[in-house]
PDB file of all heavy atoms in Angstrom:
ATOM      1  N   VAL A 104      94.816  92.345 105.088  1.00  0.00           N
ATOM      2  CA  VAL A 104      94.772  93.217 103.918  1.00  0.00           C
ATOM      3  C   VAL A 104      93.665  94.251 104.107  1.00  0.00           C
ATOM      4  O   VAL A 104      92.534  93.910 104.459  1.00  0.00           O
ATOM      5  CB  VAL A 104      94.512  92.411 102.634  1.00  0.00           C
ATOM      6  CG1 VAL A 104      94.441  93.347 101.424  1.00  0.00           C
ATOM      7  CG2 VAL A 104      95.599  91.364 102.416  1.00  0.00           C
ATOM      8  N   VAL A 105      93.992  95.520 103.897  1.00  0.00           N
ATOM      9  CA  VAL A 105      93.008  96.595 104.002  1.00  0.00           C
ATOM     10  C   VAL A 105      92.918  97.312 102.665  1.00  0.00           C
ATOM     11  O   VAL A 105      93.919  97.487 101.967  1.00  0.00           O
ATOM     12  CB  VAL A 105      93.369  97.592 105.118  1.00  0.00           C
ATOM     13  CG1 VAL A 105      93.296  96.920 106.482  1.00  0.00           C
ATOM     14  CG2 VAL A 105      94.751  98.195 104.902  1.00  0.00           C
ATOM     15  N   SER A 106      91.727  97.719 102.301  1.00  0.00           N
ATOM     16  CA  SER A 106      91.509  98.392 101.022  1.00  0.00           C
ATOM     17  C   SER A 106      91.770  99.891 101.154  1.00  0.00           C
ATOM     18  O   SER A 106      91.845 100.434 102.255  1.00  0.00           O
ATOM     19  CB  SER A 106      90.066  98.174 100.558  1.00  0.00           C
ATOM     20  OG  SER A 106      89.159  98.813 101.457  1.00  0.00           O
ATOM     21  N   LYS A 107      91.881 100.550 100.013  1.00  0.00           N
ATOM     22  CA  LYS A 107      92.061 101.996 100.013  1.00  0.00           C
ATOM     23  C   LYS A 107      90.895 102.678 100.712  1.00  0.00           C
ATOM     24  O   LYS A 107      91.086 103.642 101.460  1.00  0.00           O
ATOM     25  CB  LYS A 107      92.178 102.521  98.581  1.00  0.00           C
ATOM     26  CG  LYS A 107      93.489 102.228  97.884  1.00  0.00           C
ATOM     27  CD  LYS A 107      93.491 102.886  96.505  1.00  0.00           C
ATOM     28  CE  LYS A 107      94.782 102.588  95.753  1.00  0.00           C
ATOM     29  NZ  LYS A 107      94.768 103.209  94.407  1.00  0.00           N
ATOM     30  N   SER A 108      89.688 102.186 100.456  1.00  0.00           N
ATOM     31  CA  SER A 108      88.506 102.823 101.057  1.00  0.00           C
ATOM     32  C   SER A 108      88.530 102.705 102.580  1.00  0.00           C
ATOM     33  O   SER A 108      88.130 103.630 103.291  1.00  0.00           O
ATOM     34  CB  SER A 108      87.219 102.217 100.498  1.00  0.00           C
ATOM     35  OG  SER A 108      87.157 100.824 100.761  1.00  0.00           O
ATOM     36  N   GLU A 109      89.008 101.572 103.101  1.00  0.00           N
ATOM     37  CA  GLU A 109      89.122 101.420 104.552  1.00  0.00           C
ATOM     38  C   GLU A 109      90.120 102.413 105.124  1.00  0.00           C
ATOM     39  O   GLU A 109      89.891 103.010 106.184  1.00  0.00           O
ATOM     40  CB  GLU A 109      89.553  99.996 104.901  1.00  0.00           C
ATOM     41  CG  GLU A 109      88.493  98.937 104.709  1.00  0.00           C
ATOM     42  CD  GLU A 109      89.023  97.567 105.076  1.00  0.00           C
ATOM     43  OE1 GLU A 109      89.653  96.915 104.198  1.00  0.00           O
ATOM     44  OE2 GLU A 109      88.828  97.146 106.231  1.00  0.00           O
ATOM     45  N   VAL A 110      91.242 102.569 104.434  1.00  0.00           N
ATOM     46  CA  VAL A 110      92.255 103.520 104.887  1.00  0.00           C
ATOM     47  C   VAL A 110      91.691 104.933 104.885  1.00  0.00           C
ATOM     48  O   VAL A 110      91.854 105.690 105.849  1.00  0.00           O
ATOM     49  CB  VAL A 110      93.520 103.447 104.002  1.00  0.00           C
ATOM     50  CG1 VAL A 110      94.516 104.522 104.431  1.00  0.00           C
ATOM     51  CG2 VAL A 110      94.149 102.063 104.084  1.00  0.00           C
ATOM     52  N   LEU A 111      91.000 105.291 103.813  1.00  0.00           N
ATOM     53  CA  LEU A 111      90.432 106.633 103.713  1.00  0.00           C
ATOM     54  C   LEU A 111      89.427 106.903 104.819  1.00  0.00           C
ATOM     55  O   LEU A 111      89.433 107.972 105.439  1.00  0.00           O
ATOM     56  CB  LEU A 111      89.772 106.829 102.343  1.00  0.00           C
ATOM     57  CG  LEU A 111      90.716 106.972 101.143  1.00  0.00           C
ATOM     58  CD1 LEU A 111      89.931 106.966  99.844  1.00  0.00           C
ATOM     59  CD2 LEU A 111      91.547 108.248 101.268  1.00  0.00           C
ATOM     60  N   ARG A 112      88.556 105.928 105.100  1.00  0.00           N
ATOM     61  CA  ARG A 112      87.540 106.119 106.145  1.00  0.00           C
ATOM     62  C   ARG A 112      88.175 106.285 107.521  1.00  0.00           C
ATOM     63  O   ARG A 112      87.690 107.045 108.360  1.00  0.00           O
ATOM     64  CB  ARG A 112      86.566 104.938 106.179  1.00  0.00           C
ATOM     65  CG  ARG A 112      85.537 104.930 105.071  1.00  0.00           C
ATOM     66  CD  ARG A 112      84.407 103.970 105.384  1.00  0.00           C
ATOM     67  NE  ARG A 112      84.879 102.613 105.613  1.00  0.00           N
ATOM     68  CZ  ARG A 112      85.014 101.695 104.661  1.00  0.00           C
ATOM     69  NH1 ARG A 112      84.738 102.020 103.411  1.00  0.00           N
ATOM     70  NH2 ARG A 112      85.425 100.470 104.947  1.00  0.00           N
ATOM     71  N   SER A 113      89.265 105.573 107.759  1.00  0.00           N
ATOM     72  CA  SER A 113      89.860 105.561 109.085  1.00  0.00           C
ATOM     73  C   SER A 113      90.902 106.654 109.301  1.00  0.00           C
ATOM     74  O   SER A 113      91.027 107.177 110.406  1.00  0.00           O
ATOM     75  CB  SER A 113      90.504 104.188 109.350  1.00  0.00           C
ATOM     76  OG  SER A 113      89.543 103.169 109.293  1.00  0.00           O
ATOM     77  N   VAL A 114      91.653 106.984 108.253  1.00  0.00           N
ATOM     78  CA  VAL A 114      92.757 107.921 108.420  1.00  0.00           C
ATOM     79  C   VAL A 114      92.379 109.327 107.955  1.00  0.00           C
ATOM     80  O   VAL A 114      92.832 110.316 108.524  1.00  0.00           O
ATOM     81  CB  VAL A 114      94.002 107.422 107.662  1.00  0.00           C
ATOM     82  CG1 VAL A 114      95.179 108.377 107.860  1.00  0.00           C
ATOM     83  CG2 VAL A 114      94.371 106.018 108.121  1.00  0.00           C
ATOM     84  N   TRP A 115      91.549 109.431 106.938  1.00  0.00           N
ATOM     85  CA  TRP A 115      91.025 110.725 106.528  1.00  0.00           C
ATOM     86  C   TRP A 115      89.687 110.877 107.240  1.00  0.00           C
ATOM     87  O   TRP A 115      89.644 111.000 108.432  1.00  0.00           O
ATOM     88  CB  TRP A 115      90.928 110.795 104.999  1.00  0.00           C
ATOM     89  CG  TRP A 115      92.236 111.175 104.336  1.00  0.00           C
ATOM     90  CD1 TRP A 115      92.566 112.398 103.839  1.00  0.00           C
ATOM     91  CD2 TRP A 115      93.387 110.327 104.123  1.00  0.00           C
ATOM     92  NE1 TRP A 115      93.846 112.381 103.335  1.00  0.00           N
ATOM     93  CE2 TRP A 115      94.376 111.125 103.491  1.00  0.00           C
ATOM     94  CE3 TRP A 115      93.683 108.991 104.401  1.00  0.00           C
ATOM     95  CZ2 TRP A 115      95.626 110.632 103.131  1.00  0.00           C
ATOM     96  CZ3 TRP A 115      94.928 108.496 104.054  1.00  0.00           C
ATOM     97  CH2 TRP A 115      95.881 109.304 103.436  1.00  0.00           C
ATOM     98  N   ASP A 116      88.586 110.778 106.565  1.00  0.00           N
ATOM     99  CA  ASP A 116      87.286 110.727 107.242  1.00  0.00           C
ATOM    100  C   ASP A 116      86.234 110.275 106.250  1.00  0.00           C
ATOM    101  O   ASP A 116      86.485 110.179 105.047  1.00  0.00           O
ATOM    102  CB  ASP A 116      86.902 112.080 107.872  1.00  0.00           C
ATOM    103  CG  ASP A 116      86.796 113.198 106.846  1.00  0.00           C
ATOM    104  OD1 ASP A 116      85.955 113.098 105.934  1.00  0.00           O
ATOM    105  OD2 ASP A 116      87.547 114.186 106.970  1.00  0.00           O
ATOM    106  N   ALA A 117      85.040 110.006 106.759  1.00  0.00           N
ATOM    107  CA  ALA A 117      83.981 109.429 105.925  1.00  0.00           C
ATOM    108  C   ALA A 117      83.525 110.397 104.842  1.00  0.00           C
ATOM    109  O   ALA A 117      82.934 109.983 103.842  1.00  0.00           O
ATOM    110  CB  ALA A 117      82.798 109.025 106.799  1.00  0.00           C
ATOM    111  N   ASN A 118      83.795 111.700 104.998  1.00  0.00           N
ATOM    112  CA  ASN A 118      83.331 112.700 104.039  1.00  0.00           C
ATOM    113  C   ASN A 118      84.385 113.061 102.996  1.00  0.00           C
ATOM    114  O   ASN A 118      84.145 113.931 102.164  1.00  0.00           O
ATOM    115  CB  ASN A 118      82.901 113.971 104.790  1.00  0.00           C
ATOM    116  CG  ASN A 118      81.741 113.705 105.729  1.00  0.00           C
ATOM    117  OD1 ASN A 118      80.782 113.041 105.360  1.00  0.00           O
ATOM    118  ND2 ASN A 118      81.838 114.231 106.952  1.00  0.00           N
ATOM    119  N   TYR A 119      85.539 112.393 103.035  1.00  0.00           N
ATOM    120  CA  TYR A 119      86.588 112.696 102.066  1.00  0.00           C
ATOM    121  C   TYR A 119      86.104 112.363 100.662  1.00  0.00           C
ATOM    122  O   TYR A 119      85.599 111.267 100.400  1.00  0.00           O
ATOM    123  CB  TYR A 119      87.846 111.897 102.386  1.00  0.00           C
ATOM    124  CG  TYR A 119      88.963 112.092 101.385  1.00  0.00           C
ATOM    125  CD1 TYR A 119      89.742 113.242 101.405  1.00  0.00           C
ATOM    126  CD2 TYR A 119      89.231 111.117 100.419  1.00  0.00           C
ATOM    127  CE1 TYR A 119      90.765 113.426 100.488  1.00  0.00           C
ATOM    128  CE2 TYR A 119      90.254 111.295  99.501  1.00  0.00           C
ATOM    129  CZ  TYR A 119      91.016 112.451  99.534  1.00  0.00           C
ATOM    130  OH  TYR A 119      92.037 112.633  98.615  1.00  0.00           O
ATOM    131  N   ARG A 120      86.243 113.303  99.752  1.00  0.00           N
ATOM    132  CA  ARG A 120      85.759 113.101  98.385  1.00  0.00           C
ATOM    133  C   ARG A 120      86.866 113.273  97.350  1.00  0.00           C
ATOM    134  O   ARG A 120      86.604 113.392  96.157  1.00  0.00           O
ATOM    135  CB  ARG A 120      84.624 114.107  98.084  1.00  0.00           C
ATOM    136  CG  ARG A 120      83.369 113.877  98.915  1.00  0.00           C
ATOM    137  CD  ARG A 120      82.691 112.564  98.540  1.00  0.00           C
ATOM    138  NE  ARG A 120      81.489 112.323  99.324  1.00  0.00           N
ATOM    139  CZ  ARG A 120      81.436 111.652 100.458  1.00  0.00           C
ATOM    140  NH1 ARG A 120      82.575 111.141 100.964  1.00  0.00           N
ATOM    141  NH2 ARG A 120      80.325 111.481 101.120  1.00  0.00           N
ATOM    142  N   GLY A 121      88.112 113.273  97.796  1.00  0.00           N
ATOM    143  CA  GLY A 121      89.226 113.437  96.871  1.00  0.00           C
ATOM    144  C   GLY A 121      89.596 112.133  96.183  1.00  0.00           C
ATOM    145  O   GLY A 121      88.920 111.104  96.316  1.00  0.00           O
ATOM    146  N   ASP A 122      90.689 112.170  95.465  1.00  0.00           N
ATOM    147  CA  ASP A 122      91.183 111.012  94.722  1.00  0.00           C
ATOM    148  C   ASP A 122      91.712 109.972  95.705  1.00  0.00           C
ATOM    149  O   ASP A 122      92.525 110.290  96.593  1.00  0.00           O
ATOM    150  CB  ASP A 122      92.309 111.475  93.792  1.00  0.00           C
ATOM    151  CG  ASP A 122      92.702 110.420  92.779  1.00  0.00           C
ATOM    152  OD1 ASP A 122      92.486 109.220  93.065  1.00  0.00           O
ATOM    153  OD2 ASP A 122      93.240 110.784  91.719  1.00  0.00           O
ATOM    154  N   ASP A 123      91.270 108.718  95.536  1.00  0.00           N
ATOM    155  CA  ASP A 123      91.738 107.689  96.468  1.00  0.00           C
ATOM    156  C   ASP A 123      93.200 107.314  96.232  1.00  0.00           C
ATOM    157  O   ASP A 123      93.797 106.573  97.016  1.00  0.00           O
ATOM    158  CB  ASP A 123      90.850 106.445  96.434  1.00  0.00           C
ATOM    159  CG  ASP A 123      90.874 105.715  95.098  1.00  0.00           C
ATOM    160  OD1 ASP A 123      91.624 106.119  94.195  1.00  0.00           O
ATOM    161  OD2 ASP A 123      90.127 104.725  94.963  1.00  0.00           O
ATOM    162  N   ASN A 124      93.800 107.860  95.167  1.00  0.00           N
ATOM    163  CA  ASN A 124      95.227 107.623  94.944  1.00  0.00           C
ATOM    164  C   ASN A 124      96.095 108.298  96.002  1.00  0.00           C
ATOM    165  O   ASN A 124      97.301 108.032  96.080  1.00  0.00           O
ATOM    166  CB  ASN A 124      95.644 108.112  93.553  1.00  0.00           C
ATOM    167  CG  ASN A 124      95.195 107.154  92.461  1.00  0.00           C
ATOM    168  OD1 ASN A 124      95.034 105.953  92.712  1.00  0.00           O
ATOM    169  ND2 ASN A 124      94.981 107.668  91.269  1.00  0.00           N
ATOM    170  N   ILE A 125      95.486 109.164  96.821  1.00  0.00           N
ATOM    171  CA  ILE A 125      96.226 109.773  97.921  1.00  0.00           C
ATOM    172  C   ILE A 125      96.783 108.702  98.856  1.00  0.00           C
ATOM    173  O   ILE A 125      97.825 108.881  99.478  1.00  0.00           O
ATOM    174  CB  ILE A 125      95.321 110.759  98.702  1.00  0.00           C
ATOM    175  CG1 ILE A 125      96.148 111.600  99.671  1.00  0.00           C
ATOM    176  CG2 ILE A 125      94.218 110.023  99.444  1.00  0.00           C
ATOM    177  CD1 ILE A 125      97.064 112.587  99.028  1.00  0.00           C
ATOM    178  N   VAL A 126      96.084 107.562  98.929  1.00  0.00           N
ATOM    179  CA  VAL A 126      96.563 106.465  99.770  1.00  0.00           C
ATOM    180  C   VAL A 126      97.888 105.945  99.237  1.00  0.00           C
ATOM    181  O   VAL A 126      98.836 105.709 100.006  1.00  0.00           O
ATOM    182  CB  VAL A 126      95.526 105.327  99.840  1.00  0.00           C
ATOM    183  CG1 VAL A 126      96.085 104.142 100.638  1.00  0.00           C
ATOM    184  CG2 VAL A 126      94.236 105.824 100.470  1.00  0.00           C
ATOM    185  N   GLU A 127      97.988 105.778  97.928  1.00  0.00           N
ATOM    186  CA  GLU A 127      99.242 105.314  97.327  1.00  0.00           C
ATOM    187  C   GLU A 127     100.378 106.288  97.619  1.00  0.00           C
ATOM    188  O   GLU A 127     101.513 105.877  97.899  1.00  0.00           O
ATOM    189  CB  GLU A 127      99.076 105.166  95.816  1.00  0.00           C
ATOM    190  CG  GLU A 127      98.111 104.080  95.389  1.00  0.00           C
ATOM    191  CD  GLU A 127      97.991 104.005  93.880  1.00  0.00           C
ATOM    192  OE1 GLU A 127      98.931 104.467  93.190  1.00  0.00           O
ATOM    193  OE2 GLU A 127      96.967 103.500  93.399  1.00  0.00           O
ATOM    194  N   VAL A 128     100.062 107.575  97.563  1.00  0.00           N
ATOM    195  CA  VAL A 128     101.072 108.600  97.824  1.00  0.00           C
ATOM    196  C   VAL A 128     101.618 108.440  99.240  1.00  0.00           C
ATOM    197  O   VAL A 128     102.832 108.454  99.459  1.00  0.00           O
ATOM    198  CB  VAL A 128     100.480 110.008  97.629  1.00  0.00           C
ATOM    199  CG1 VAL A 128     101.485 111.072  98.075  1.00  0.00           C
ATOM    200  CG2 VAL A 128     100.086 110.225  96.170  1.00  0.00           C
ATOM    201  N   TYR A 129     100.717 108.252 100.213  1.00  0.00           N
ATOM    202  CA  TYR A 129     101.167 108.159 101.602  1.00  0.00           C
ATOM    203  C   TYR A 129     101.818 106.817 101.918  1.00  0.00           C
ATOM    204  O   TYR A 129     102.684 106.735 102.793  1.00  0.00           O
ATOM    205  CB  TYR A 129     100.009 108.467 102.552  1.00  0.00           C
ATOM    206  CG  TYR A 129      99.909 109.953 102.806  1.00  0.00           C
ATOM    207  CD1 TYR A 129      99.158 110.758 101.958  1.00  0.00           C
ATOM    208  CD2 TYR A 129     100.595 110.547 103.848  1.00  0.00           C
ATOM    209  CE1 TYR A 129      99.085 112.129 102.159  1.00  0.00           C
ATOM    210  CE2 TYR A 129     100.535 111.917 104.060  1.00  0.00           C
ATOM    211  CZ  TYR A 129      99.771 112.701 103.217  1.00  0.00           C
ATOM    212  OH  TYR A 129      99.726 114.056 103.409  1.00  0.00           O
ATOM    213  N   VAL A 130     101.428 105.771 101.202  1.00  0.00           N
ATOM    214  CA  VAL A 130     102.140 104.498 101.336  1.00  0.00           C
ATOM    215  C   VAL A 130     103.590 104.691 100.895  1.00  0.00           C
ATOM    216  O   VAL A 130     104.532 104.212 101.546  1.00  0.00           O
ATOM    217  CB  VAL A 130     101.465 103.391 100.515  1.00  0.00           C
ATOM    218  CG1 VAL A 130     102.394 102.187 100.354  1.00  0.00           C
ATOM    219  CG2 VAL A 130     100.171 102.953 101.185  1.00  0.00           C
ATOM    220  N   SER A 131     103.777 105.434  99.803  1.00  0.00           N
ATOM    221  CA  SER A 131     105.131 105.708  99.317  1.00  0.00           C
ATOM    222  C   SER A 131     105.917 106.520 100.338  1.00  0.00           C
ATOM    223  O   SER A 131     107.094 106.227 100.613  1.00  0.00           O
ATOM    224  CB  SER A 131     105.055 106.467  97.985  1.00  0.00           C
ATOM    225  OG  SER A 131     106.342 106.831  97.533  1.00  0.00           O
ATOM    226  N   TYR A 132     105.261 107.542 100.923  1.00  0.00           N
ATOM    227  CA  TYR A 132     105.929 108.339 101.951  1.00  0.00           C
ATOM    228  C   TYR A 132     106.367 107.459 103.125  1.00  0.00           C
ATOM    229  O   TYR A 132     107.495 107.573 103.624  1.00  0.00           O
ATOM    230  CB  TYR A 132     104.992 109.427 102.481  1.00  0.00           C
ATOM    231  CG  TYR A 132     104.673 110.536 101.522  1.00  0.00           C
ATOM    232  CD1 TYR A 132     103.573 111.368 101.742  1.00  0.00           C
ATOM    233  CD2 TYR A 132     105.460 110.791 100.403  1.00  0.00           C
ATOM    234  CE1 TYR A 132     103.260 112.408 100.886  1.00  0.00           C
ATOM    235  CE2 TYR A 132     105.150 111.824  99.531  1.00  0.00           C
ATOM    236  CZ  TYR A 132     104.040 112.627  99.781  1.00  0.00           C
ATOM    237  OH  TYR A 132     103.739 113.649  98.914  1.00  0.00           O
ATOM    238  N   LEU A 133     105.458 106.603 103.596  1.00  0.00           N
ATOM    239  CA  LEU A 133     105.765 105.745 104.743  1.00  0.00           C
ATOM    240  C   LEU A 133     106.916 104.795 104.456  1.00  0.00           C
ATOM    241  O   LEU A 133     107.792 104.582 105.301  1.00  0.00           O
ATOM    242  CB  LEU A 133     104.526 104.946 105.144  1.00  0.00           C
ATOM    243  CG  LEU A 133     103.560 105.597 106.126  1.00  0.00           C
ATOM    244  CD1 LEU A 133     102.397 104.646 106.413  1.00  0.00           C
ATOM    245  CD2 LEU A 133     104.265 105.976 107.427  1.00  0.00           C
ATOM    246  N   ARG A 134     106.900 104.204 103.272  1.00  0.00           N
ATOM    247  CA  ARG A 134     107.983 103.284 102.916  1.00  0.00           C
ATOM    248  C   ARG A 134     109.338 103.986 102.973  1.00  0.00           C
ATOM    249  O   ARG A 134     110.340 103.390 103.388  1.00  0.00           O
ATOM    250  CB  ARG A 134     107.736 102.699 101.525  1.00  0.00           C
ATOM    251  CG  ARG A 134     106.653 101.620 101.498  1.00  0.00           C
ATOM    252  CD  ARG A 134     106.327 101.210 100.095  1.00  0.00           C
ATOM    253  NE  ARG A 134     105.445 100.040 100.073  1.00  0.00           N
ATOM    254  CZ  ARG A 134     104.635  99.742  99.067  1.00  0.00           C
ATOM    255  NH1 ARG A 134     104.608 100.526  97.981  1.00  0.00           N
ATOM    256  NH2 ARG A 134     103.866  98.676  99.128  1.00  0.00           N
ATOM    257  N   LYS A 135     109.371 105.246 102.567  1.00  0.00           N
ATOM    258  CA  LYS A 135     110.631 105.995 102.587  1.00  0.00           C
ATOM    259  C   LYS A 135     111.081 106.295 104.012  1.00  0.00           C
ATOM    260  O   LYS A 135     112.260 106.578 104.250  1.00  0.00           O
ATOM    261  CB  LYS A 135     110.477 107.296 101.801  1.00  0.00           C
ATOM    262  CG  LYS A 135     110.325 107.078 100.299  1.00  0.00           C
ATOM    263  CD  LYS A 135     110.073 108.392  99.571  1.00  0.00           C
ATOM    264  CE  LYS A 135     109.883 108.141  98.073  1.00  0.00           C
ATOM    265  NZ  LYS A 135     109.563 109.398  97.344  1.00  0.00           N
ATOM    266  N   ARG A 136     110.143 106.252 104.965  1.00  0.00           N
ATOM    267  CA  ARG A 136     110.482 106.546 106.362  1.00  0.00           C
ATOM    268  C   ARG A 136     110.831 105.280 107.149  1.00  0.00           C
ATOM    269  O   ARG A 136     111.817 105.254 107.886  1.00  0.00           O
ATOM    270  CB  ARG A 136     109.301 107.241 107.054  1.00  0.00           C
ATOM    271  CG  ARG A 136     108.800 108.505 106.402  1.00  0.00           C
ATOM    272  CD  ARG A 136     109.690 109.699 106.673  1.00  0.00           C
ATOM    273  NE  ARG A 136     109.022 110.935 106.305  1.00  0.00           N
ATOM    274  CZ  ARG A 136     108.982 111.450 105.080  1.00  0.00           C
ATOM    275  NH1 ARG A 136     109.615 110.835 104.102  1.00  0.00           N
ATOM    276  NH2 ARG A 136     108.344 112.580 104.824  1.00  0.00           N
ATOM    277  N   ILE A 137     110.001 104.236 106.986  1.00  0.00           N
ATOM    278  CA  ILE A 137     110.138 103.076 107.887  1.00  0.00           C
ATOM    279  C   ILE A 137     110.754 101.850 107.229  1.00  0.00           C
ATOM    280  O   ILE A 137     111.163 100.919 107.941  1.00  0.00           O
ATOM    281  CB  ILE A 137     108.767 102.681 108.480  1.00  0.00           C
ATOM    282  CG1 ILE A 137     107.831 102.162 107.381  1.00  0.00           C
ATOM    283  CG2 ILE A 137     108.145 103.828 109.248  1.00  0.00           C
ATOM    284  CD1 ILE A 137     106.552 101.528 107.900  1.00  0.00           C
ATOM    285  N   ASP A 138     110.833 101.841 105.902  1.00  0.00           N
ATOM    286  CA  ASP A 138     111.333 100.648 105.214  1.00  0.00           C
ATOM    287  C   ASP A 138     112.658 100.861 104.505  1.00  0.00           C
ATOM    288  O   ASP A 138     113.666 100.206 104.806  1.00  0.00           O
ATOM    289  CB  ASP A 138     110.288 100.152 104.197  1.00  0.00           C
ATOM    290  CG  ASP A 138     109.188  99.343 104.846  1.00  0.00           C
ATOM    291  OD1 ASP A 138     109.329  98.970 106.027  1.00  0.00           O
ATOM    292  OD2 ASP A 138     108.161  99.087 104.187  1.00  0.00           O
ATOM    293  N   VAL A 139     112.669 101.770 103.547  1.00  0.00           N
ATOM    294  CA  VAL A 139     113.832 101.932 102.666  1.00  0.00           C
ATOM    295  C   VAL A 139     115.142 102.158 103.427  1.00  0.00           C
ATOM    296  O   VAL A 139     116.142 101.474 103.143  1.00  0.00           O
ATOM    297  CB  VAL A 139     113.589 103.067 101.650  1.00  0.00           C
ATOM    298  CG1 VAL A 139     114.855 103.317 100.817  1.00  0.00           C
ATOM    299  CG2 VAL A 139     112.414 102.708 100.737  1.00  0.00           C
ATOM    300  N   PRO A 140     115.179 103.057 104.420  1.00  0.00           N
ATOM    301  CA  PRO A 140     116.464 103.284 105.100  1.00  0.00           C
ATOM    302  C   PRO A 140     116.981 102.076 105.877  1.00  0.00           C
ATOM    303  O   PRO A 140     118.160 102.011 106.214  1.00  0.00           O
ATOM    304  CB  PRO A 140     116.141 104.443 106.065  1.00  0.00           C
ATOM    305  CG  PRO A 140     114.909 105.083 105.518  1.00  0.00           C
ATOM    306  CD  PRO A 140     114.133 103.969 104.914  1.00  0.00           C
ATOM    307  N   PHE A 141     116.086 101.121 106.164  1.00  0.00           N
ATOM    308  CA  PHE A 141     116.459  99.971 106.989  1.00  0.00           C
ATOM    309  C   PHE A 141     116.500  98.655 106.201  1.00  0.00           C
ATOM    310  O   PHE A 141     116.715  97.592 106.768  1.00  0.00           O
ATOM    311  CB  PHE A 141     115.472  99.829 108.144  1.00  0.00           C
ATOM    312  CG  PHE A 141     115.376 101.063 109.002  1.00  0.00           C
ATOM    313  CD1 PHE A 141     114.403 102.018 108.741  1.00  0.00           C
ATOM    314  CD2 PHE A 141     116.275 101.281 110.024  1.00  0.00           C
ATOM    315  CE1 PHE A 141     114.316 103.169 109.521  1.00  0.00           C
ATOM    316  CE2 PHE A 141     116.199 102.423 110.811  1.00  0.00           C
ATOM    317  CZ  PHE A 141     115.213 103.382 110.553  1.00  0.00           C
ATOM    318  N   GLY A 142     116.272  98.752 104.887  1.00  0.00           N
ATOM    319  CA  GLY A 142     116.273  97.541 104.069  1.00  0.00           C
ATOM    320  C   GLY A 142     115.116  96.611 104.395  1.00  0.00           C
ATOM    321  O   GLY A 142     115.236  95.388 104.257  1.00  0.00           O
TER     322      GLY A 142
END
């Protein structure tokens, strides 16, 4: 299990100061690419 802050530090950068809900947005994007079409 990884937290939103871990994702932000690793995928964005340590200086990111935006809304951490961006992680939820990209999780949704990924699910539509790698999960939903394949069940």
Side-chain angles (χ1 to χ4, degrees):
V104 179
V105 294
S106 65
K107 286 184 181 179
S108 60
E109 288 180 275
V110 176
L111 288 172
R112 284 195 303 270
S113 299
V114 182
W115 277 258
D116 60 61
N118 298 315
Y119 177 77
R120 294 293 180 268
D122 192 335
D123 65 3
N124 284 333
I125 191 69
V126 176
E127 294 179 23
V128 173
Y129 273 88
V130 165
S131 176
Y132 291 162
L133 272 181
R134 284 173 171 155
K135 291 176 182 177
R136 304 283 193 276
I137 66 170
D138 280 348
V139 175
F141 303 93

